[in-house]
Amino acid sequence: MEFTARQLAEVLHGTVEGNPDAIATGFAKIEHGKPGQLCFYANPKYEQYVYTSRASILLVNSDFVPKSPVTPTLVRVENAYSALAELLNYTASQKKAYRRHRGRCHIACSARIGRRVWVGDFVTIGKKCKVGDCTKIYDNVTIGEGTVIGKNCIIYPGVHIFPGMVIGDRVILHAGCIIGDDGFGNAPQPDGSWKKIEHVGNVIICDDVEIGSNTTIDKAPMESTIIEKGVRIDNLCQIAHNVVVGENTAMAAQTGIAGSTKIGKNCILAGQVGVVGHINIADHTTIGAQSGVMGNVRTSGSTLFGSPAIAHRTYLRAYAKFKQSAED
């Protein structure tokens, strides 16, 4: 896609400083910028590249004051990082092509498919499913009977959605997601064996959620596993049965949440965090990488680290003593 600095400023509600007819046809990191490319600058540690970049257009915050001459044309916006995200979304939307479906897929006669839905090869959409307008379903996706999918969703290749799931608007499911598999529910028997507990609940994914590749979200034995509005889940995460993940919470790769745990709003769980089942984690909690949470977190805004996870400052003091004793 080709655009000028003037067009960019119009789309992003910014102002141009330099040549308004400067043209960009692609994107690059600021340290790799070349003529014909657009870069952005938001993190102060990359300021050195502002003065060496050969990019045609540079997206910057409106309050940025250069300390040396700058070659690219500047487009000033309120928040360069957010503006870049908006621009990439806009660019992607201009490239979308819609079609009803190809011949190499199976859509049940009772399924209701909205307007401008794109369906790839070898997709299966079960009986009584509903798919909202402008949703895009890539190749080799399976959507089970009675599932409801909202508008403007993107479902990438190899996603499997089990029967009866509910997915809101503008949800993105990356390749290989499994939504609605049975949870790990087994009842111990007197002879030491296990008896499987059937799961008849579902998964509810609310609006504006994004779920990374090969993440699994288990359905509940009864009622629902719920991913609330605005949640971001990275690749290779495990969300067990009856978990509730609060609005705008984010978790990084290989995080695992055990059954019936409730994660609050606006929490951050770094990579490889493990959380035991049947506990509550307060809103605005931050949990450091590889931490193990083994009990309730009752105070909003807590920062935890370690296994078992404790207050971050307490962990640092304890680690300093541990390290000192090891060196003595």
Side-chain angles (χ1 to χ4, degrees):
M1 185 175 182
E2 179 178 297
F3 45 80
T4 65
R6 181 186 291 108
Q7 292 169 333
L8 187 62
E10 290 175 358
V11 171
L12 301 177
H13 308 291
T15 58
V16 177
E17 186 175 311
N19 178 15
D21 296 318
I23 295 175
T25 58
F27 300 90
K29 294 181 179 180
I30 189 171
E31 60 267 38
H32 301 152
K34 297 178 181 179
Q37 292 181 324
L38 178 142
C39 300
F40 84 104
Y41 165 67
N43 190 329
K45 74 177 185 178
Y46 291 99
E47 184 174 355
Q48 58 179 312
Y49 299 112
V50 171
Y51 312 113
T52 60
S53 177
R54 296 167 52 230
S56 295
I57 303 173
L58 182 62
L59 201 61
V60 299
N61 292 336
S62 56
D63 59 357
F64 171 62
V65 179
K67 298 175 183 175
S68 300
V70 178
T71 299
T73 293
L74 300 184
V75 175
R76 294 182 176 275
V77 292
E78 184 176 348
N79 184 309
Y81 196 77
S82 295
L84 179 69
E86 182 181 344
L87 178 62
L88 291 171
N89 289 338
Y90 173 79
T91 302
S93 70
Q94 300 306 301
K95 293 180 178 180
K96 286 182 180 178
Y98 291 90
R99 59 186 175 180
R100 183 68 173 183
H101 57 80
R102 289 180 178 170
R104 292 178 293 182
C105 61
H106 175 74
I107 301 175
C109 294
S110 58
R112 294 172 55 186
I113 308 299
R115 296 178 296 106
R116 302 181 72 205
V117 170
W118 195 102
V119 181
D121 287 330
F122 308 113
V123 170
T124 298
I125 300 178
K127 297 178 181 178
K128 300 180 181 180
C129 287
K130 297 179 182 178
V131 180
D133 297 344
C134 301
T135 284
K136 189 167 187 177
I137 303 170
Y138 282 82
D139 299 346
N140 296 301
V141 169
T142 302
I143 301 172
E145 179 177 346
T147 288
V148 177
I149 298 174
K151 301 176 182 178
N152 297 294
C153 295
I154 302 174
I155 303 175
Y156 284 103
V159 171
H160 295 284
I161 304 172
F162 281 69
M165 305 301 113
V166 178
I167 296 172
D169 297 337
R170 300 174 300 280
V171 171
I172 300 174
L173 302 178
H174 287 278
C177 281
I178 298 178
I179 308 298
D181 198 358
D182 280 358
F184 189 63
N186 296 275
Q189 302 300 298
D191 63 357
S193 63
W194 299 91
K195 184 175 182 179
K196 178 178 174 59
I197 298 173
E198 292 299 329
H199 289 59
V200 297
N202 71 346
V203 174
I204 298 174
I205 299 176
C206 298
D207 297 345
D208 301 302
V209 170
E210 182 169 1
I211 298 174
S213 297
N214 296 315
T215 284
T216 298
I217 302 178
D218 294 339
K219 66 183 176 184
M222 297 174 285
E223 300 183 356
S224 301
T225 302
I226 302 174
I227 311 299
E228 294 186 346
K229 183 177 179 180
V231 168
R232 296 292 187 269
I233 300 176
D234 198 1
N235 305 332
L236 296 167
C237 292
Q238 161 65 21
I239 312 297
H241 58 266
N242 288 108
V243 167
V244 177
V245 181
E247 290 184 11
N248 300 318
T249 282
M251 59 185 72
Q254 298 184 340
T255 289
I257 314 295
S260 299
T261 282
K262 184 174 182 179
I263 311 292
K265 300 177 182 179
N266 297 101
C267 295
I268 297 175
L269 285 67
Q272 297 186 329
V273 164
V275 181
V276 301
H278 301 273
I279 66 171
N280 295 325
I281 294 179
D283 298 345
H284 301 281
T285 296
T286 299
I287 305 172
Q290 296 189 328
S291 296
V293 183
M294 301 183 183
N296 291 314
V297 179
R298 297 184 174 87
T299 304
S300 179
S302 299
T303 299
L304 309 177
F305 198 81
S307 187
I310 57 177
H312 186 236
R313 291 184 179 180
T314 302
Y315 175 87
L316 292 177
R317 290 196 296 268
Y319 179 75
K321 292 182 179 180
F322 172 78
K323 185 177 180 181
Q324 182 180 7
S325 66
E327 293 173 349
D328 290 342

